[in-house]
Structures are given as C-alpha cells and as structure tokens.
Amino acid sequence: MSFQNGNMDARSSYKFKNEFGVLSKSINTMLSLVQENTILSSKAVNLSEVILSEEDTKEFFRATLLALIEHTGSQMAAVYLMNEEEKLLEYFESIGLDDTAKISFSTEYLEGLFGTAILSRKLQYIKDVPENSRFIFNTVNGRFIPREAITIPIISGTQIIAVISLATISNFAPRSIDFLNNILITLSARIEGVLGYNRIKRLKEEQEQQNRELIAQKSELTIQSSELTQQNAELEMQKKQLDEASRLKTNFLSNMSHELRTPLNSVIALSGVLSRRLMNKIPEEEYGYLEIIERNGKNLLNLINDVLDISRIEAGREEIEITKFNVNNMIEEISALLQPQAVHKELNIVQESSDSNLFISSDIDKCRHILQNLIGNAIKFTESGRILISTKISEDSIQIKVKDTGIGIPKEHLPYIFDEFRQADGSTSRRYGGTGLGLAIAKKYANLLGGTISVESESGEGSEFTLILPQNYSAENKIDEKADEAEIKYPINKPIVEPVNKKINSDSENMDKTILLVDDNESAIIQIKDLVEEMGHKVLIAKDALEAFEIIEDIIPDAMVLDLMMPDIDGFRLLESIRNAEPTAHVPVLVLTAKHITKEELKELKRNHIHQLIQKGDVNRKELQNAVNSMLFPEAVEIKLENRDKKTIKDKPLVLVVEDNPDNMITVKALLSDNYKVIEAVNGKEGISMAISYKPDLILMDIALPEINGIDAYIEIQKRPELTHIPVIALTASAMNHERETILAHGFHAFIGKPIIAKQFFDVINEVLYGK
Ligand code: ADP
C-alpha cells in the first residue's frame, strides 16, 4: 500500500522460509526493479528537460554535464567537440577537471579511454582507470585520479561529433550505464541540434559582421568615389589648362616665328643691300663687318628655325605627307648640294647602293632634312678622306649608312649626341659651328616616320650613322596631297640658284612692269623695292590691306608681292578679296612671309592661286628676283646675257649647262666657275634655244629633262650644221653600264655620272675640249 502511495522504498518485511516468504522476496525484488526503472525514467525526463532548456552551446553543455554528474554519481564530466577537419577532439567544457587536463585529443592516435569508444562507436565503461590517465580532478581533499570512467561517443549519422567523458573516484550510481544508453539517442540528437543551431548562429553572426564590414567598406568607397570624382574634375580642369597652355604655346611659337624671323630677315636682307651698295665705297675693314652681320644673322635664323622645328614636333603638330620617291636620287641631290663644301676640303662623296631603284613611301621633306643633316655633319666633321653613303633594303625597311673618315666621337659622348643642344664637346661648336640641334631634330623626324637613327664611332677613326626607315610609312594621319602641290613651290628652302649671268631687264619690252608690294615691315619694303627696282620695274607700296585696295582702284598691278601677317585685314583675307574681284582675279601673287604656314593655310593659299610661296628667312636676293621674274614672264624661255658681248665671254670657254635640278646646277657651276663661263638652261627646249643663240664651246646635257629630254635636245642640236661641232657631254644619274652605252650610241661625246666627282668631271671635260 505504502509503495502504491508513492513510497518507493516500502518493501514487504515478511521473511519466513515458507511460500509467503518466497513470494514476499519476489515482490520485494520486483518492487526494487520498478523503483529503479521509475528512477531511471525520472532521471531521463529530468535530463531531457535540462538539455532542452538551453540553446547557447556553452550553457547547454554546462547544464548537460551537471545533470550527467548528478544522475551518474560522477565527480568529473567533460565534453570534447570534433573539429572541422575531424582530426582533433577539442576540449570544450568540463566540470571538476583539473586545468592541466583541459587538453584536446588527436583522433589519429586513438588509445586510452577515448580510443575504444571512438573505434567501437559505443559507450565505454572502464572500471580500473590506469594510473597514467590524463584525467585528474580536484576535490576538497586535493587532486585525484579517477577510479571508474565512462566515455560516451556522440554520433551524427556516421560521424562522431563529440565525446563526453564522465569519471568518479569511487563507483558510478547503479544502472548508470543503462541510464546513459537510454538517453544516448536523445542526447546525441540534441547535441547535434545545438551544435548545428550554434553553427548557423555563428555563420549568421559572421555574415552580419561581414555585412557590417561591407557596409563600412561601401561607405568608404562612396567617400573615395566622391574624392575621385573631385580629383577627376580637378584633372579635367588641369587638362583644360594644359590644352590652353599648349594652344597658347603654339600660338606663341607661330607668332614668335614671325616676330623673330621678320627682324632677322631685315638684318640679313639689309646687310646684303648695304654690301652691294657700299662695295668699294667704305674701308675694307668696315665692309667686312657687313659680311659678319649677314653671316651671324643667318646663323641665328638657322637656330630659330631649328628651335621652332623642335617645338612643332614636341607639340605634336608636325604634319606628315607621304609620297613615293627614289632614295638614291634624293641622296644624289643632297650630295650635289653639299658638294661645294666637300670639294673645298677635297673630300670624295661616294654613293653605293644594292639597287639603283630604292623607292620609299615616306615624307620626302623630312627624309631630306634627316639626310642633309647626316651627310652635312659627315662633311663638316671630316678633314680628309671620303664620305661613303650606302643604301640597301632589308625586309620592309630601307637602311641608309653615312660613313665618314672624320674626327669621330669620343665614347663618353656617344650616348648624348642625339640630345638637344648636345655637342660632343664644347670645343666642337667653337671649331665647327652648329647648334647641337641637328641630330635631335633628325632623330625626332626619323621616329615620326617610324624609323631610327643610330651611330657607331670612335674618336679619330670616323663615324657611321645608320638611318633605318620603313619602306612604306603607315599611320592613320597619313596625308597624301603632294600630287597637286607641284604648282606651288613650297617650301622654298631649296638650294639657291644664282642666275649669275641672267638678267631680263635688259630687254625694253620687259621693263616698267608695275608691282604692288603689300607689307607692313619697313625693312622688307626697302629690300624688295630695291631688288625689284634693280630689275627695272616700278614698285607701289601698301602698308596694309586698305592701302592696297585704294591703289588697286586706280591701277591694276602686273603682279603683287604679299606679306601674310598684317594688322587688321591679314594677307589671307586680302588675297581672298582680290581673287573675288574680276579685275584682279588673275594678277599673279607672290606670297612672302616669315610665318610658319600650316597645312590648312597652305591649302587656302593654293585655293586662291598664288604664284609662289617664299619663306622670308630662306631666300636670297637673286632667288627673289628669279621668283618675281617668273611671275611676270611665265613663258620666258629666252634668257639673255647681262650687258655683255659674246666676245668677252669667249675669253674663257663658254659652257652651256642644261640641268633642271637646282642642286646639280649649283654643283656644276661651283666646279666650273673659276675657269669657264657658264650659261644655264633648265629644260631641253631652253637648252636648244640657248645653244642656237650662244654657240657655246661645250654643252653639259642632263638626260632626264622636262618637256624635251636630253637625248632629243641633243638630236635637235645636231640637226643644225652650225652647231654640230659643239661637243656635248651627257650628265646623268644612271649608273648602269648598258644605259651609258645607249647614251653614247646616240653620239654624245662623253658621259659623266652623278654624283659628280670633281676629278673625274674635269678629266672628262679636258679630254673632250683639249684632248688631254
Ligand atoms: P651641330 O649643329 O653641332 O652639328 P648636331 O646635332 O648635328 O649639332 O650634332 C651634335 C654633335 O654630334 C656635333 O656637335 C658633333 O660633336 C657630333 N657629331 C655629329 N655628327 C658627327 C660626325 N659625323 N662626326 C663627328 N662628330 C659628329
């Protein structure tokens, strides 16, 4: 009854050895069993409540371990969690465990208390814990080694996720193993749930943390982005300022080119005028000063031109015009142009080529500029020996080598000679002159054309410069307008053709033409007036466009010389107006300017049909007279000698040179002028008429001539009995033997190849004229 009423300890006290005694004992055993089962159930219920009460991992395991200690009569309980790599059981929480025993266990060395539990995946109960156990725990009486221990593997699916360890210094409570086995599934599920929940919680927290960081980063990025926007705005502004500065610089340069060249041109031109007028009128020493002024003026002008070239290249304003031309012909022209300096030093210029027809598509003016500099330097820095210019094609490039036997360049200076204003050493400029800009410009031009220049040199042994240019220049900014430019002779920095023996104004029919000069520069006016009046023409002067209009209302001039940079209405607009008015639409106009002409401006000038464009600084008196002359008498082919009768000329042999290339003409004249009188003709037709008029002692006939070629001109001359006795020597660039034979087969007396080599030249002439 009492058991029924809840007293689980109530037992029957009947102990006699009779049937009731046996029954009473059985009942008592059953009651004990019921009591034990009831206790186990209540422990299980209690543990379930405990393990469900906490969510936080730490709190959960603490509560669970406490309940296990209580229900199993342990003194120590600890839990170990499997790490992510499943290699280590990490100590997590314990009750009653010594600090030194709070360690983790590797699953790779499975031994001792944990080993069997993990291997068997079953709860392990060990009664006599070995002395060397790692489990030591504190009691009020000190530190003890347990006597009994239980190891409980917690399994999720097939994986061990944790291990719980219980230990006691005496014995576990009865039926503890049954209790533990009963609750193991529930406990494992709950542990898995708590660990999973906490893992998710942790991930969530991490995620939140990451989100917070991302938000922080985002706001930082927003700040940076607004800073960048501000920087961009500043950069944009700086760029605008730079563009503006660059525009101003370009304007400044363009104006400076005008402002500097104009006065310099005056200095050069007027010193020229004075030298002519004062010749034999002032003491020789003072007369010499004029020459110095002119020479230095020219040097300064060269320097300014170089500086402007460099600035234009650096400002990216250099325009490139592509045409196809023969490199060897160009070298020949340049050699002929520079020949006088070489002849002076008795240097031989030798040209060598793998192929006489080496064509290149590139900018002809820039190529000429580069080569003129390289060959010019070779001559300048060589005192004796020879200059060898060799060309060859290699793959898609043309290689041009200029090799001299000159002073060479010391090793330590080699890396710098392409730098601006760099000369091998200061004394070079004192001795040889120059500005140190030539190679810098040459290199920049070569680079612009997609090529390179390099140098090999040894002090005292000579130098070898190598220019390599692509055979076909390619760039998007390729401009090909050269073809229709032939009508305008631009630029006019060509060699000077001195019409020494030409003078047209002796013919009264040609006199008294009226030329309107429009220029605001006083010294330019004096210079041009002087030279035009010398030619026998009348000059009207207008200092600006309005004055020009006033004059034109009264008189339509035969020709005009026009400056471009003038106040108020500039030369471009003036030109446009006169072209739009019927009476002046066809008046030839020669534009004479110190301004750098851009491509656009050149187009405009061409559209308005100017006769010729001459850069003020680049031209000399005779050339200007020639230009004025060709403007007034475009058809003139008859060129008469200046106030001389033929007998005077006959004092020295008279040689007629028929040559259209000004460079070659100047070379031939330079060679001949000491011992011969030279008259010139620039095409076949002119050659024939001059031969008829002057019956020269010798004719030097270029073969490739415009209008009538040299062979046909020769045949024409030979048809006239009065001329057949005149020896005619062919001058030609064709070096091929069979061409030489063809030319000789026509009957020419001899043949001189170009480039002209002085000794050979005179040998042939002497042979033809004097048979020696
Ligand atoms: P410069 O106007 O002084 O000739 P460059 O730029 O053309 O200027 O040449 C720079 C320097 O390089 C020259 O002053 C000279 O010292 C050296 N140099 C150039 N070419 C040669 C050469 N063929 N032989 C020796 N030195 C040379």
Side-chain angles (χ1 to χ4, degrees):
M1 275 311 278
S2 151
F3 190 90
Q4 233 172 2
N5 291 335
N7 177 9
M8 287 276 192
D9 290 330
R11 295 287 182 273
S12 161
S13 50
Y14 189 87
K15 287 192 176 153
F16 294 104
K17 286 190 174 176
N18 56 18
E19 288 175 351
F20 289 109
V22 173
L23 189 62
S24 163
K25 196 176 170 193
S26 300
I27 285 171
N28 280 344
T29 309
M30 193 184 75
L31 287 179
S32 293
L33 208 62
V34 170
Q35 184 185 18
E36 278 172 23
N37 283 342
T38 309
I39 290 168
L40 279 185
S41 299
S42 77
K43 282 181 180 175
V45 169
N46 170 270
L47 188 83
S48 300
E49 281 168 5
V50 168
I51 62 178
L52 286 174
S53 65
E54 295 292 344
E55 293 295 351
D56 175 74
T57 327
K58 202 98 189 158
E59 294 300 323
F60 163 79
F61 278 116
R62 206 163 172 81
T64 307
L65 292 182
L66 269 174
L68 287 174
I69 283 179
E70 187 188 331
H71 297 316
T72 56
S74 317
Q75 280 82 43
M76 190 285 300
V79 63
Y80 304 83
L81 302 181
M82 188 68 88
N83 75 350
E84 302 241 328
E85 291 83 40
E86 297 181 5
K87 294 264 165 62
L88 200 67
L89 278 166
E90 290 174 344
Y91 167 84
F92 184 72
E93 179 63 307
S94 66
I95 294 167
L97 189 65
D98 190 82
D99 276 349
T100 55
K102 291 176 180 171
I103 50 172
S104 302
F105 297 89
S106 163
T107 54
E108 288 183 353
Y109 311 103
L110 293 171
E111 52 185 28
L113 292 176
F114 283 6
T116 339
I118 286 169
L119 280 177
S120 67
R121 300 178 172 252
K122 290 207 173 105
L123 184 146
Q124 294 299 317
Y125 172 36
I126 297 177
K127 283 195 174 144
D128 292 310
V129 176
E131 290 281 314
N132 61 358
S133 163
R134 290 186 230 177
F135 293 103
I136 295 163
F137 51 90
N138 291 318
T139 68
V140 272
N141 298 323
R143 298 166 71 204
F144 288 88
I145 295 185
R147 197 167 142 227
E148 290 189 357
I150 298 174
T151 308
I152 312 161
I154 306 294
I155 295 169
S156 158
T158 56
Q159 302 296 325
I160 293 179
I161 56 170
V163 169
I164 294 176
S165 182
L166 302 172
T168 172
I169 47 171
S170 55
N171 296 105
F172 287 114
R175 301 208 55 196
S176 288
I177 303 300
D178 290 342
F179 161 68
L180 291 172
N181 275 330
N182 278 351
I183 54 105
L184 190 55
I185 290 175
T186 319
L187 183 65
S188 296
R190 179 63 186 147
I191 288 176
E192 188 185 355
V194 168
L195 289 178
Y197 166 78
N198 278 286
R199 195 175 308 119
I200 288 169
K201 202 168 135 197
R202 205 171 58 243
L203 284 176
K204 187 171 158 254
E205 277 167 10
E206 278 172 16
Q207 191 77 43
E208 279 169 1
Q209 177 64 22
Q210 278 176 8
N211 277 350
R212 277 194 294 278
E213 281 169 12
L214 278 179
I215 289 169
Q217 279 172 9
K218 190 175 159 237
S219 76
E220 199 161 307
L221 279 179
T222 314
I223 294 170
Q224 281 177 5
S225 144
S226 77
E227 278 172 10
L228 275 179
T229 314
Q230 196 176 336
Q231 278 174 10
N232 272 350
E234 277 167 22
L235 281 177
E236 185 69 20
M237 196 139 89
Q238 281 172 5
K239 185 174 169 282
K240 274 195 186 136
Q241 284 170 350
L242 279 179
D243 286 349
E244 177 64 7
S246 153
R247 197 184 61 76
L248 287 175
K249 183 182 157 204
T250 312
N251 271 357
F252 168 75
L253 284 174
S254 152
N255 290 340
M256 191 178 88
S257 79
H258 178 248
E259 297 305 327
L260 287 176
R261 283 187 204 177
T262 306
L264 260 181
N265 183 56
S266 305
V267 171
I268 297 166
L270 294 187
S271 52
V273 170
L274 283 180
S275 343
R276 263 184 345 93
R277 290 194 182 168
L278 298 179
M279 194 187 292
N280 301 329
K281 288 189 187 151
I282 54 171
E284 206 170 301
E285 189 188 343
E286 284 168 24
Y287 187 75
Y289 298 161
L290 287 173
E291 192 263 329
I292 297 173
I293 296 173
E294 191 175 353
R295 181 160 33 85
N296 282 296
K298 282 184 179 156
N299 287 344
L300 202 49
L301 191 65
N302 285 340
L303 171 64
I304 289 167
N305 285 340
D306 282 354
V307 170
L308 288 173
D309 280 348
I310 287 254
S311 319
R312 245 198 337 272
I313 301 170
E314 282 179 357
R317 289 172 60 91
E318 199 56 62
E319 292 157 359
I320 292 175
E321 290 198 359
I322 303 304
T323 43
K324 194 167 176 185
F325 56 93
N326 185 330
V327 176
N328 287 333
N329 285 354
M330 170 178 281
I331 293 173
E332 201 175 290
E333 265 177 40
I334 297 171
S335 310
L337 170 71
L338 299 172
Q339 187 83 24
Q341 296 153 37
V343 168
H344 181 68
K345 292 188 181 177
E346 292 189 357
L347 294 176
N348 265 340
I349 302 185
V350 184
Q351 196 176 337
E352 240 179 41
S353 181
S354 58
D355 180 353
S356 61
N357 285 328
L358 271 194
F359 279 92
I360 182 171
S361 285
S362 194
D363 186 309
I364 188 165
D365 289 332
K366 293 187 177 53
C367 288
R368 186 184 290 117
H369 191 116
I370 299 169
L371 286 171
Q372 221 159 309
N373 181 269
L374 296 183
I375 302 171
N377 275 350
I379 297 173
K380 184 161 98 175
F381 296 107
T382 306
E383 291 307 325
S384 63
R386 65 166 198 175
I387 315 294
L388 174 64
I389 307 160
S390 54
T391 50
K392 70 168 187 186
I393 188 153
S394 64
E395 290 178 14
D396 296 337
S397 299
I398 290 204
Q399 190 190 69
I400 304 162
K401 284 183 184 285
V402 180
K403 187 172 180 161
D404 63 51
T405 50
I407 58 170
I409 303 164
K411 255 200 178 42
E412 65 273 22
H413 293 138
L414 269 182
Y416 308 112
I417 58 157
F418 293 103
D419 292 356
E420 285 151 32
F421 296 107
R422 257 335 234 276
Q423 295 179 316
D425 72 75
S427 61
T428 334
S429 75
R430 283 194 292 282
R431 219 173 125 205
Y432 296 95
T435 57
L437 278 177
L439 284 178
I441 295 174
K443 188 172 182 109
K444 283 183 201 289
Y445 276 164
N447 294 345
L448 265 182
L449 299 179
T452 54
I453 301 184
S454 56
V455 60
E456 278 177 32
S457 181
E458 227 169 274
S459 203
E461 298 291 321
S463 314
E464 182 178 71
F465 284 81
T466 306
L467 168 68
I468 297 177
L469 291 173
Q471 201 174 16
N472 288 303
Y473 171 85
S474 69
E476 277 154 30
N477 60 348
K478 176 175 159 180
I479 303 158
D480 199 354
E481 291 184 336
K482 201 79 176 179
D484 64 354
E485 216 165 84
E487 56 190 278
I488 287 190
K489 296 149 195 154
Y490 172 84
I492 300 296
N493 55 358
K494 299 264 161 58
I496 294 156
V497 185
E498 287 211 28
V500 268
N501 293 325
K502 287 185 195 172
K503 191 128 187 204
I504 301 214
N505 62 356
S506 58
D507 187 337
S508 60
E509 175 202 334
N510 296 327
M511 295 281 284
D512 286 338
K513 297 273 186 191
T514 304
I515 294 192
L516 171 58
L517 167 64
V518 192
D519 201 323
D520 61 332
N521 182 286
E522 207 54 57
S523 53
I525 293 174
I526 299 175
Q527 182 202 15
I528 294 162
K529 190 166 179 291
D530 183 77
L531 72 86
V532 175
E533 282 178 352
E534 189 192 64
M535 296 166 76
H537 305 303
K538 193 170 155 197
V539 181
L540 301 175
I541 291 158
K543 291 197 173 164
D544 57 33
L546 291 179
E547 281 184 28
F549 291 138
E550 273 169 27
I551 293 173
I552 290 170
E553 273 189 12
D554 294 337
I555 306 164
I556 302 298
D558 296 302
M560 282 176 69
V561 176
L562 178 64
D563 182 27
L564 288 178
M565 302 282 278
M566 288 186 300
D568 301 326
I569 303 173
D570 66 14
F572 293 101
R573 286 173 59 202
L574 171 60
L575 182 64
E576 180 114 48
S577 323
I578 61 171
R579 284 297 176 247
N580 288 335
E582 175 55 31
T584 50
H586 301 292
V587 173
V589 175
L590 189 147
V591 171
L592 189 61
T593 182
K595 182 183 185 308
H596 171 72
I597 303 289
T598 65
K599 198 172 207 53
E600 283 308 309
E601 290 169 339
L602 182 62
K603 266 193 200 156
E604 191 179 337
L605 293 176
K606 278 162 63 181
R607 209 174 41 243
N608 282 315
H609 307 294
I610 61 161
H611 173 76
Q612 191 167 343
L613 171 69
I614 294 186
Q615 290 276 313
K616 273 186 182 167
D618 297 338
V619 72
N620 81 348
R621 186 176 180 85
K622 292 290 179 200
E623 194 181 349
L624 259 176
Q625 284 184 333
N626 267 357
V628 170
N629 219 16
S630 71
M631 175 163 66
L632 289 172
F633 311 106
E635 299 305 324
V637 288
E638 281 282 313
I639 296 176
K640 301 192 173 167
L641 292 177
E642 176 192 358
N643 296 333
R644 292 170 192 254
D645 71 25
K646 291 171 194 171
K647 287 192 186 85
T648 340
I649 291 171
K650 285 286 176 192
D651 293 344
K652 287 180 179 177
L654 180 65
V655 181
L656 167 62
V657 182
V658 191
E659 169 65 84
D660 66 325
N661 182 308
D663 306 1
N664 292 341
M665 181 67 96
I666 199 171
T667 312
V668 173
K669 270 168 48 197
L671 288 169
L672 292 176
S673 57
D674 281 352
N675 300 312
Y676 301 85
K677 289 288 173 195
V678 180
I679 50 174
E680 308 163 27
V682 295
N683 58 43
K685 199 170 158 197
E686 201 176 296
I688 299 165
S689 66
M690 289 187 75
I692 297 167
S693 303
Y694 299 103
K695 300 192 183 57
D697 299 304
L698 174 67
I699 300 175
L700 296 182
M701 179 77 79
D702 181 26
I703 297 302
L705 286 170
E707 295 190 51
I708 299 178
N709 72 31
I711 294 175
D712 291 344
Y714 172 78
I715 293 169
E716 276 304 308
I717 290 169
Q718 291 301 306
K719 278 185 190 159
R720 298 179 177 256
E722 76 275 21
L723 303 180
T724 42
H725 69 283
I726 303 174
V728 185
I729 299 176
L731 276 181
T732 173
S734 319
M736 311 303 271
N737 274 339
H738 69 273
E739 285 176 27
R740 167 194 281 247
E741 276 153 24
T742 317
I743 289 166
L744 293 178
H746 283 286
F748 282 90
H749 286 73
F751 174 100
I752 297 177
K754 295 189 220 164
I756 293 163
I757 296 162
K759 186 169 177 316
Q760 193 189 349
F761 180 76
F762 287 121
D763 284 352
V764 173
I765 291 178
N766 287 338
E767 165 84 34
V768 169
L769 277 184
Y770 312 112
K772 47 180 172 178

